Amino acid sequence: MDGDTRLSALRQDFLATSTQSMPMAGMLFWAVAAAASRVLTPEQLAYFVGFGSGTVFPLGMLIDRLRGRRGLQGNRDNPVLTGFLQCLAIVAMLWPFVILAGIGRPGLVVLGGAILMGLVWVPYGWAADDPVGMRHAIARTLLCYAAYIFLPPALRSTSICLIVLACYFYSFLTMRKA
């Protein structure tokens, strides 16, 4: 991209070269987490969410390859794409804080993971010029906090996983496509 490219053109390029593989991968991850929450101990589920969440990005790339798409490898000199990928790195850098906070309180790892991973929707929404990103992040955060605060401990983690799935489903249906 040259220095004269307008933000609207950069956003269109981002949207055209991005796919829904990341939301698909996120939905798959949280569906497995929801099912796992019914059979794993809270500590095992926290471990799964804390470390297994790192599979979402590569899984999204695999989904793209299986569908014959290049995905986020589209236009690497687009600064909008670069900014989005840098936000992914920021979320990854915050993960140790969530894991440390969850020592002895595994439900906090599930809550923290749900919220942290949801923050990626803010830069996605900005990059795609799509309000679904901010809506997703806000709804997901508020609903997950509410589940953690108001539900009995036995239902918290499963409910958080299901809330995340519902937010993904909403976003998947309403996000702009190129």
Side-chain angles (χ1 to χ4, degrees), residues 43-170:
E43 291 78 13
Q44 291 169 330
L45 181 64
Y47 186 83
F48 173 80
V49 170
F51 294 100
S53 62
T55 63
V56 173
F57 187 76
L59 181 58
M61 296 299 98
L62 176 63
I63 290 170
D64 271 341
R65 285 185 186 230
L66 292 174
R67 296 172 68 206
R69 304 214 40 192
R70 291 181 356 167
L72 292 176
Q73 297 174 7
N75 192 350
R76 290 186 181 212
D77 60 342
N78 183 338
V80 172
L81 173 61
T82 302
F84 173 71
L85 293 174
Q86 288 173 351
C87 288
L88 289 176
I90 290 169
V91 168
M93 287 186 284
L94 290 171
W95 257 113
F97 177 71
V98 170
I99 293 168
L100 290 172
I103 293 174
R105 295 165 54 188
L108 277 179
V109 175
V110 177
L111 173 67
I115 292 170
L116 258 185
M117 293 167 70
L119 293 179
V120 171
W121 281 87
V122 175
Y124 167 81
W126 180 85
D129 195 23
D130 190 340
V132 74
M134 185 60 80
R135 290 177 190 152
H136 180 111
I138 291 171
R140 182 169 164 167
T141 298
L142 293 176
L143 291 170
C144 287
Y145 274 130
Y148 189 83
I149 292 168
F150 297 115
L151 293 178
L155 299 176
R156 283 181 189 155
S157 292
T158 301
S159 298
I160 289 169
C161 294
L162 293 174
I163 287 166
V164 171
L165 277 173
C167 290
Y168 267 111
F169 186 69
Y170 163 79

